[in-house]
Amino acid sequence: MRQPRTVQRIGAVVAAMVLAGPLLHLALLSLAPGWVWPRLVPEQLSSAGWEALLFGGDAPFAVLLRSVAIAVAVAASSTGIGFLAARAISISRWRRTLETTVYLPFVLSPVVLAPCLHYLAIRLGVAGSLAGVVLAQTIFAVALATILLLSFWTREQREMEDAARMLGAGTAEVYRRITLPSARRALWLALVQTFLLSWFQYGLTVTVGGGTVTTLPTLVFAYIGEANVPLAAAAGLLLALPPIVLLLVNRRALARPI
Amino acid sequence: MLLALLYAAAYSLGLAGLLSTGFTTRYWSRAFESGEVATSLLFSLAVAATATVLGGTLALAVVLLARAKLSRGVVADLLHIPLALPLSIVGFLAVQVLGASGTVGRLLYALGAITAPEQFGGAVNDSYGIGIVLAQLVPTVPLLALLFAQLYRSERLEELGSLAATLGASRTTTLRRITVPLLVRRALPTLLLTLVATAGAYEIPLLVGAQSPQMISVLTMRKYGMFDISQKPEAFICAILYTALCAGAVMLAQRRRGDEAA
């Protein structure tokens, strides 16, 4: 059932405008310090917001590095745990029940559970620290990684590993030669998605980090709170750039239903 | 996570934390008597349901009108941009666009419809959650459009449509009887999960929502962050009720998925 070509073209142009609009608007806001009402376009453009962000007093590079470090730590640990958890679930006789249990933290709002996790972090002595933030985020990221990696552990995959073992390969060799090479794509997808989950996190970071762990999302919120529109927009663009690149690289994998 | 939830339950029943004086249900009674928690939960569900239904309808329309453009090319790439935007940025942009002196207000002024920002009033911080719904559409529509486009291919709806046309069905009949019902039925578990995830959204309601009623996540954080520690049990009650809601939705979605597979 084909749509007329003109309708499709008009739809595509409208879609392109709507989809690229937020990013362009954000870029314009970051360059327009004095965009007063009722002007439709700013009177003048200025790079003051960007200069303040990149060379100002908030040590943005340290914040950027901290955000990257947290996201990488969360992605690496949750993908590793998720890979093994997904294998355990795939061979379990309670697979359906375990799958449902894993879906729960994936759907739950981290912010709503943040007060509960804050207590856990206090008891473990990691509240208000980088380790506490990584731990709290990892709890949610493991669920996402497990769900993404469940589809990798098919019966065929396990049979292939069994065949290698029957031919004399040890556990380490099976993982090195069979499991990891065939899991490369699934692992990369899990790494990217869990990285993004951590990269976007605000409420959980603020609660468990106790306001002392500054990341790029908390910096953006601070600028929004100060009503500093150009700085908030510039920091927002900085926050959005890595996810856009990562999602464009992985867009085929993302198109699968949850 | 189970430990954290058990602690939340114990705190809300007076068995743990700074307010522990032995088992009591007074915090639960107070939470329900004031009506704030129940109102917040119902408001969150109403906003999430509206955003999911509206987002689903728009996504369906996009897929039916321009699905060929969604699989490759510039539009396909652009479709991922809203998904990559942090929700804090979406909320910030919503305020900049829908606020009283935002882009929409400026356009209305340019068109001569208004002469001052107050005449427009804006569509943010309203008690009906209109601003939250509109902002939530930014990530929801592309996400569901990608899902519907993928289902369109996997369910081979192009071939089914051709078959229906060969058997004499009109385009409207094919859409009404085959395409739309099949897509919606197959997408139902994901739509349900999208609904509960939207109900627990934080950044957008925090920036775009009104002081009252508040979405459940905003209310939880407000109660937890208050200097008055007697409000803390209500924060934990919010978390427990929301978790129960999510657990129900996940079980329903999984059962539905199981039925579809069978």
Side-chain angles (χ1 to χ4, degrees):
Chain A
M1 200 175 61
R2 295 201 168 276
Q3 294 290 332
R5 199 168 275 265
T6 330
V7 176
Q8 285 206 2
R9 279 196 181 147
I10 293 169
V13 171
V14 172
M17 280 166 62
V18 170
L19 295 169
L23 215 57
L24 294 174
H25 196 187
L26 205 58
L28 201 58
L29 284 168
S30 75
L31 295 167
W35 193 355
V36 291
W37 202 86
R39 292 188 180 280
L40 269 178
V41 286
E43 259 184 312
Q44 55 175 19
L45 297 180
S46 159
S47 59
W50 281 99
E51 283 167 27
L53 176 72
L54 298 175
F55 312 110
D58 283 323
F61 285 112
V63 174
L64 190 67
L65 275 177
R66 193 177 301 123
S67 299
V68 171
I70 292 173
V72 168
V74 169
S77 56
S78 58
T79 301
I81 298 168
F83 191 60
L84 299 174
R87 184 190 160 87
I89 290 172
S90 72
I91 55 174
S92 169
R93 75 173 113 148
W94 297 296
R95 183 181 170 135
R96 281 286 297 275
T97 314
L98 289 170
E99 265 184 40
T100 307
T101 315
V102 159
Y103 261 96
L104 194 57
F106 170 65
V107 177
L108 277 173
S109 163
V111 175
V112 180
L113 283 185
C116 315
L117 292 171
H118 187 213
Y119 162 75
L120 197 68
I122 292 170
R123 292 303 296 257
L124 293 171
V126 290
S129 73
L130 212 64
V133 172
V134 171
L135 179 73
Q137 290 188 3
T138 302
I139 291 174
F140 290 93
V142 164
L144 175 59
T146 308
I147 290 163
L148 290 171
L149 292 165
L150 265 172
S151 56
F152 167 75
W153 292 108
T154 55
R155 204 171 68 183
E156 290 76 20
Q157 177 63 31
R158 289 198 305 276
E159 282 171 358
M160 206 151 61
E161 290 179 9
D162 289 342
R165 271 190 209 98
M166 274 167 58
L167 292 168
T171 308
E173 202 172 8
V174 168
Y175 260 82
R176 195 163 47 87
R177 296 212 174 181
I178 309 280
T179 313
L180 291 178
S182 48
R184 208 160 42 196
R185 205 170 148 263
L187 285 171
W188 173 245
L189 177 69
L191 275 171
V192 169
Q193 296 295 332
T194 49
F195 178 92
L196 293 180
L197 187 89
S198 168
W199 185 255
F200 288 150
Q201 199 49 249
Y202 167 70
L204 197 56
T205 308
V206 166
T207 310
V208 178
T212 55
V213 180
T214 311
T215 58
L216 215 45
T218 66
L219 196 65
V220 170
F221 254 91
Y223 291 140
I224 292 173
E226 291 168 11
N228 196 334
V229 175
L231 259 175
L237 270 177
L238 209 59
L239 185 66
L241 212 60
I244 287 172
V245 173
L246 282 172
L247 281 178
L248 288 180
V249 170
N250 292 277
R251 69 186 178 88
R252 200 181 300 169
L254 193 92
R256 292 174 188 153
I258 301 167
Chain B
M1 186 170 283
L2 190 66
L3 270 177
L5 280 169
L6 283 174
Y7 172 74
Y11 202 116
S12 71
L13 291 169
L15 297 170
L18 294 166
L19 301 171
S20 60
T21 50
F23 180 80
T24 176
T25 54
R26 72 168 179 274
Y27 302 120
W28 281 85
S29 309
R30 196 177 67 187
F32 282 106
E33 274 163 18
S34 74
E36 199 178 14
V37 176
T39 307
S40 172
L41 261 178
L42 287 175
F43 178 66
S44 303
L45 280 175
V47 165
T50 312
T52 309
V53 170
L54 209 57
T57 310
L58 287 170
L60 205 54
V62 168
V63 170
L64 294 177
L65 282 171
R67 66 186 165 276
K69 306 275 178 196
L70 299 183
S71 54
R72 59 184 178 276
V74 183
V75 176
D77 287 340
L78 288 173
L79 198 62
H80 290 81
I81 289 178
L83 292 175
L85 280 179
L87 295 179
S88 52
I89 299 305
V90 175
F92 167 69
L93 280 173
V95 174
Q96 298 301 319
V97 173
L98 302 170
S101 57
T103 313
V104 174
R106 290 163 198 249
L107 275 170
L108 290 174
Y109 178 86
L111 292 169
I114 59 169
T115 53
E118 309 83 69
Q119 289 172 326
F120 167 52
V124 292
N125 310 124
D126 63 295
S127 53
Y128 296 105
I130 296 168
I132 303 175
V133 170
L134 291 175
Q136 281 295 156
L137 290 179
V138 174
T140 307
V141 173
L143 181 75
L144 295 180
L146 284 169
L147 171 74
F148 285 136
Q150 198 269 343
L151 287 174
Y152 199 96
R153 284 191 297 272
S154 66
E155 295 296 310
R156 303 175 70 181
L157 287 175
E158 195 78 55
E159 287 90 331
L160 272 177
S162 302
L163 184 66
T166 313
L167 294 171
S170 67
R171 276 180 56 183
T172 320
T173 310
T174 309
L175 264 181
R176 203 162 41 90
R177 297 257 176 112
I178 300 172
T179 315
V180 175
L182 246 168
L183 282 176
V184 173
R185 208 177 67 189
R186 295 287 287 144
L188 217 52
T190 309
L191 288 172
L192 194 61
L193 297 181
T194 307
L195 190 145
V196 284
T198 308
Y202 179 62
E203 287 91 343
I204 289 177
L206 181 69
L207 293 168
V208 185
Q211 282 297 311
S212 177
Q214 286 181 321
M215 295 273 282
I216 193 74
S217 51
V218 181
L219 183 72
T220 306
M221 289 298 272
R222 182 167 67 80
K223 296 262 179 203
Y224 188 69
M226 276 180 162
F227 283 112
D228 177 8
I229 58 163
S230 70
Q231 296 289 320
K232 279 198 197 303
E234 284 188 42
F236 291 120
I237 289 169
C238 288
I240 292 165
L241 290 174
Y242 173 71
T243 306
L245 183 79
C246 284
V250 167
M251 279 196 275
L252 205 65
Q254 287 292 86
R255 189 180 295 173
R256 177 96 202 170
R257 207 169 270 171
D259 291 348
E260 292 277 328

